[in-house]
Amino acid sequence: MIVAAEGETQINVAQQVEHLENTASSLRGHVLDVKGLTIAYGGFVALAGVDLQVQAGEVLALLGPSGCGKTSLLRAIAGFVRQRSGQVLIDGRPIDGLPPERRQVGIVFQNYALFPHMSVAGNIAFGLEARGARRREIAERVDGLLELVQLGGFADRRPAQLSGGQQQRVALARALAIEPRILLLDEPFAALDRALRLDMQIEIKRLQRRLGLTTILVTHDQDEAMSVADRIAVMRDGSIEQLGTPVEVYDRPANLFVAGFIGTTNALPCTVLGWSNGAAQLRMQDGGTLALPTEVPPPAAGHNAILAVRPEHLVLHDEPGEGRFLVTLGLALPLGGQTIREASLGDGTALRLIEQRHGAIPRRSSQAWCGIAVGATPTLFEASSRKDP
């Protein structure tokens, strides 16, 4: 374990934690700007002129499928790759010319990247030693960080003696040791099992809020992004498709790609009949009609469209009625207090519905009539804009 030099008096751990929090508080207010960032690997363009601002103290999640550019964006901010064009700025000052070790950017990798031959304390102290910090300062910060990440008493252990969650805490403490202006998390929960992943999401959110760090989280897990982030940037093919709060992105997706990538959505083919009294008049696939309240004018009358509806916004009925369409029912599976039902339209379009379950799953005939729940807000897109995730 790292200790203070002889003759020096160590301040107690509580004071160390307070010092860390006070230091973090003084560093709050760091704003990250990415302007026109383009990155290419040979002929492949990984980022295509991305513009992004991360507000001070917020958690921004970069979410998207593999190869969409989210990790390239993170690595450019950290200084591990050079952009073809564009700028990265912190508090309005460009950092593009600085090497990674001078950017004051902390990063936690998916595999933690701990040094196996070093103790926990040695791993946390590494960045401070590289900067030439005094021995006493290193000892004080290591002890304070160990308490902050709830690993007091683990200083002398090696990474191989720790669980996955404990290794992640060490990696986080090492990133925090250098007092970063920006914290980058690159798929930090991917190697953990489901229960531990949830625990660590809560833990990192707690520490981020406590320290007020501006944080970017790269993930492909939509549930993780929805639960941890203040805002989400949904990416595809090197560009940002939509940027907004989790509620905005879920309830008002910008296009069918976002609607299908964030959560689950049902894409119902229909034809626009017109728009009047704040409602789009639609003809569904089975010939029935539906009035969809919307503040945004729909495609012109006669155009084919896609109605994107979340599974929890569909309701089954035993009888036909206004705004209901016929479906063929498939499997019904219990999931906690809910029932997940599969269904299909006459043209074979697959649907998924979520119902609240009370006791046993009720029996239904092979067919039912499906409608949209009162208060639900489906989104209407032109059929030509449909792009599956």
mmCIF file of all heavy atoms in Angstrom, residues 316-318 326-330 341 362-369:
data_model
loop_
_atom_site.group_PDB
_atom_site.id
_atom_site.type_symbol
_atom_site.label_atom_id
_atom_site.label_comp_id
_atom_site.label_asym_id
_atom_site.label_seq_id
_atom_site.Cartn_x
_atom_site.Cartn_y
_atom_site.Cartn_z
ATOM 1 N N LEU A 316 -55.837 -4.882 -26.874
ATOM 2 C CA LEU A 316 -56.650 -5.902 -27.535
ATOM 3 C C LEU A 316 -58.103 -5.817 -27.078
ATOM 4 O O LEU A 316 -58.386 -5.565 -25.900
ATOM 5 C CB LEU A 316 -56.102 -7.291 -27.243
ATOM 6 C CG LEU A 316 -54.736 -7.634 -27.853
ATOM 7 C CD1 LEU A 316 -54.293 -9.017 -27.415
ATOM 8 C CD2 LEU A 316 -54.779 -7.538 -29.373
ATOM 9 N N HIS A 317 -59.017 -6.050 -28.026
ATOM 10 C CA HIS A 317 -60.453 -6.063 -27.744
ATOM 11 C C HIS A 317 -61.064 -7.319 -28.355
ATOM 12 O O HIS A 317 -60.559 -7.850 -29.358
ATOM 13 C CB HIS A 317 -61.132 -4.826 -28.342
ATOM 14 C CG HIS A 317 -60.547 -3.529 -27.887
ATOM 15 N ND1 HIS A 317 -60.963 -2.879 -26.747
ATOM 16 C CD2 HIS A 317 -59.562 -2.756 -28.430
ATOM 17 C CE1 HIS A 317 -60.270 -1.762 -26.601
ATOM 18 N NE2 HIS A 317 -59.413 -1.673 -27.604
ATOM 19 N N ASP A 318 -62.150 -7.794 -27.750
ATOM 20 C CA ASP A 318 -62.833 -8.978 -28.267
ATOM 21 C C ASP A 318 -63.820 -8.645 -29.377
ATOM 22 O O ASP A 318 -64.276 -9.548 -30.097
ATOM 23 C CB ASP A 318 -63.571 -9.697 -27.131
ATOM 24 C CG ASP A 318 -62.611 -10.263 -26.092
ATOM 25 O OD1 ASP A 318 -61.505 -10.696 -26.493
ATOM 26 O OD2 ASP A 318 -62.957 -10.251 -24.892
ATOM 27 N N LEU A 326 -58.082 -5.815 -37.233
ATOM 28 C CA LEU A 326 -58.067 -7.248 -36.933
ATOM 29 C C LEU A 326 -56.631 -7.782 -36.925
ATOM 30 O O LEU A 326 -55.832 -7.467 -37.813
ATOM 31 C CB LEU A 326 -58.886 -8.003 -37.977
ATOM 32 C CG LEU A 326 -59.127 -9.497 -37.724
ATOM 33 C CD1 LEU A 326 -59.967 -9.699 -36.464
ATOM 34 C CD2 LEU A 326 -59.809 -10.135 -38.928
ATOM 35 N N VAL A 327 -56.320 -8.580 -35.911
ATOM 36 C CA VAL A 327 -55.004 -9.216 -35.818
ATOM 37 C C VAL A 327 -55.163 -10.686 -35.489
ATOM 38 O O VAL A 327 -56.167 -11.103 -34.889
ATOM 39 C CB VAL A 327 -54.107 -8.538 -34.744
ATOM 40 C CG1 VAL A 327 -53.809 -7.104 -35.098
ATOM 41 C CG2 VAL A 327 -54.733 -8.647 -33.356
ATOM 42 N N THR A 328 -54.160 -11.457 -35.884
ATOM 43 C CA THR A 328 -54.095 -12.875 -35.520
ATOM 44 C C THR A 328 -53.109 -13.014 -34.372
ATOM 45 O O THR A 328 -51.974 -12.522 -34.453
ATOM 46 C CB THR A 328 -53.628 -13.725 -36.714
ATOM 47 O OG1 THR A 328 -54.565 -13.578 -37.785
ATOM 48 C CG2 THR A 328 -53.540 -15.194 -36.321
ATOM 49 N N LEU A 329 -53.533 -13.649 -33.302
ATOM 50 C CA LEU A 329 -52.709 -13.742 -32.096
ATOM 51 C C LEU A 329 -51.751 -14.924 -32.168
ATOM 52 O O LEU A 329 -52.067 -15.976 -32.734
ATOM 53 C CB LEU A 329 -53.598 -13.875 -30.864
ATOM 54 C CG LEU A 329 -54.543 -12.709 -30.598
ATOM 55 C CD1 LEU A 329 -55.378 -12.982 -29.350
ATOM 56 C CD2 LEU A 329 -53.783 -11.409 -30.443
ATOM 57 N N GLY A 330 -50.570 -14.717 -31.568
ATOM 58 C CA GLY A 330 -49.572 -15.777 -31.497
ATOM 59 C C GLY A 330 -49.247 -16.099 -30.046
ATOM 60 O O GLY A 330 -50.139 -16.193 -29.200
ATOM 61 N N ARG A 341 -47.255 -10.298 -25.793
ATOM 62 C CA ARG A 341 -48.037 -11.023 -26.793
ATOM 63 C C ARG A 341 -47.502 -10.738 -28.191
ATOM 64 O O ARG A 341 -47.146 -9.615 -28.523
ATOM 65 C CB ARG A 341 -49.507 -10.618 -26.747
ATOM 66 C CG ARG A 341 -50.275 -11.181 -25.576
ATOM 67 C CD ARG A 341 -51.766 -10.930 -25.752
ATOM 68 N NE ARG A 341 -52.532 -11.472 -24.640
ATOM 69 C CZ ARG A 341 -52.975 -12.719 -24.583
ATOM 70 N NH1 ARG A 341 -52.750 -13.550 -25.585
ATOM 71 N NH2 ARG A 341 -53.666 -13.140 -23.538
ATOM 72 N N PRO A 362 -54.908 -14.566 -19.479
ATOM 73 C CA PRO A 362 -56.253 -14.893 -19.946
ATOM 74 C C PRO A 362 -56.222 -15.571 -21.308
ATOM 75 O O PRO A 362 -55.395 -15.267 -22.155
ATOM 76 C CB PRO A 362 -56.945 -13.523 -20.017
ATOM 77 C CG PRO A 362 -55.827 -12.548 -20.187
ATOM 78 C CD PRO A 362 -54.680 -13.114 -19.426
ATOM 79 N N ARG A 363 -57.154 -16.518 -21.479
ATOM 80 C CA ARG A 363 -57.271 -17.189 -22.773
ATOM 81 C C ARG A 363 -57.968 -16.270 -23.768
ATOM 82 O O ARG A 363 -58.906 -15.566 -23.425
ATOM 83 C CB ARG A 363 -58.058 -18.491 -22.627
ATOM 84 C CG ARG A 363 -57.331 -19.576 -21.837
ATOM 85 C CD ARG A 363 -58.195 -20.821 -21.747
ATOM 86 N NE ARG A 363 -57.509 -21.897 -21.064
ATOM 87 C CZ ARG A 363 -56.694 -22.776 -21.666
ATOM 88 N NH1 ARG A 363 -56.482 -22.675 -22.984
ATOM 89 N NH2 ARG A 363 -56.102 -23.716 -20.986
ATOM 90 N N ARG A 364 -57.512 -16.299 -24.993
ATOM 91 C CA ARG A 364 -58.150 -15.537 -26.053
ATOM 92 C C ARG A 364 -58.305 -16.445 -27.279
ATOM 93 O O ARG A 364 -57.592 -17.437 -27.429
ATOM 94 C CB ARG A 364 -57.323 -14.303 -26.432
ATOM 95 C CG ARG A 364 -57.295 -13.203 -25.374
ATOM 96 C CD ARG A 364 -56.565 -11.976 -25.911
ATOM 97 N NE ARG A 364 -56.487 -10.898 -24.949
ATOM 98 C CZ ARG A 364 -57.415 -9.959 -24.798
ATOM 99 N NH1 ARG A 364 -58.507 -9.999 -25.565
ATOM 100 N NH2 ARG A 364 -57.269 -8.994 -23.916
ATOM 101 N N SER A 365 -59.241 -16.079 -28.156
ATOM 102 C CA SER A 365 -59.372 -16.814 -29.402
ATOM 103 C C SER A 365 -58.179 -16.480 -30.295
ATOM 104 O O SER A 365 -57.331 -15.668 -29.937
ATOM 105 C CB SER A 365 -60.687 -16.438 -30.107
ATOM 106 O OG SER A 365 -60.696 -15.048 -30.400
ATOM 107 N N SER A 366 -58.135 -17.094 -31.460
ATOM 108 C CA SER A 366 -56.977 -16.906 -32.334
ATOM 109 C C SER A 366 -56.932 -15.524 -32.965
ATOM 110 O O SER A 366 -55.890 -15.109 -33.474
ATOM 111 C CB SER A 366 -56.977 -17.966 -33.439
ATOM 112 O OG SER A 366 -58.154 -17.851 -34.229
ATOM 113 N N GLN A 367 -58.040 -14.781 -32.925
ATOM 114 C CA GLN A 367 -58.080 -13.451 -33.494
ATOM 115 C C GLN A 367 -58.666 -12.456 -32.492
ATOM 116 O O GLN A 367 -59.414 -12.826 -31.594
ATOM 117 C CB GLN A 367 -58.896 -13.434 -34.797
ATOM 118 C CG GLN A 367 -58.215 -14.157 -35.947
ATOM 119 C CD GLN A 367 -58.957 -13.967 -37.250
ATOM 120 O OE1 GLN A 367 -60.186 -14.021 -37.300
ATOM 121 N NE2 GLN A 367 -58.216 -13.745 -38.332
ATOM 122 N N ALA A 368 -58.284 -11.191 -32.651
ATOM 123 C CA ALA A 368 -58.806 -10.126 -31.803
ATOM 124 C C ALA A 368 -58.720 -8.819 -32.584
ATOM 125 O O ALA A 368 -58.138 -8.770 -33.681
ATOM 126 C CB ALA A 368 -58.026 -10.034 -30.496
ATOM 127 N N TRP A 369 -59.305 -7.783 -32.025
ATOM 128 C CA TRP A 369 -59.233 -6.460 -32.643
ATOM 129 C C TRP A 369 -58.306 -5.586 -31.793
ATOM 130 O O TRP A 369 -58.418 -5.563 -30.565
ATOM 131 C CB TRP A 369 -60.621 -5.839 -32.750
ATOM 132 C CG TRP A 369 -61.396 -6.413 -33.897
ATOM 133 C CD1 TRP A 369 -61.536 -5.891 -35.149
ATOM 134 C CD2 TRP A 369 -62.141 -7.643 -33.904
ATOM 135 N NE1 TRP A 369 -62.303 -6.707 -35.937
ATOM 136 C CE2 TRP A 369 -62.694 -7.796 -35.194
ATOM 137 C CE3 TRP A 369 -62.385 -8.641 -32.931
ATOM 138 C CZ2 TRP A 369 -63.466 -8.881 -35.550
ATOM 139 C CZ3 TRP A 369 -63.147 -9.728 -33.285
ATOM 140 C CH2 TRP A 369 -63.686 -9.834 -34.592
#
